[in-house]
Amino acid sequence: MKTEELDADFLDSLRVLFKNKTIEIAVCEAEPDADDETAYLLRSPDNRKRLMEAIENVRQGHTVQVDLDNWNR
């Protein structure tokens, strides 16, 4: 998360989510775009084209169901 998002509302939401619980908070600097895999994938023109095609296929209802339980059989 971005440092400007660290405010009283953030702390209040933690208090509500974890009411009467002991929590642990760890903080470290994130790599650029580490929190956004899509942004990383969209950097490559080939990846961007493929992702946009896949999104359009889903919008048009062109999907395939795969039964993972029987994938290797």
Side-chain angles (χ1 to χ4, degrees):
M1 80 185 306
K2 300 196 179 303
T3 55
E4 55 269 13
E5 297 171 336
L6 296 171
D7 58 12
D9 290 335
F10 172 74
L11 292 176
D12 290 341
S13 67
L14 288 176
R15 287 185 186 104
V16 169
L17 285 169
F18 298 99
K19 186 174 180 143
N20 299 322
K21 302 263 195 284
T22 300
I23 65 171
E24 179 178 325
I25 299 173
V27 178
C28 66
E29 186 174 357
E31 294 294 324
D33 294 326
D35 60 341
D36 191 351
E37 293 176 19
T38 304
Y40 170 77
L41 292 171
L42 290 174
R43 284 188 210 145
S44 160
D46 290 337
N47 282 345
R48 176 182 290 278
K49 181 178 181 230
R50 176 64 190 111
L51 286 170
M52 294 300 118
E53 289 171 354
I55 290 169
E56 187 57 30
N57 283 334
V58 171
R59 284 188 182 138
Q60 294 180 13
H62 302 152
T63 60
V64 176
Q65 287 187 325
V66 177
D67 181 355
L68 295 178
D69 292 332
N70 296 314
W71 178 259
N72 291 325
R73 293 182 189 164

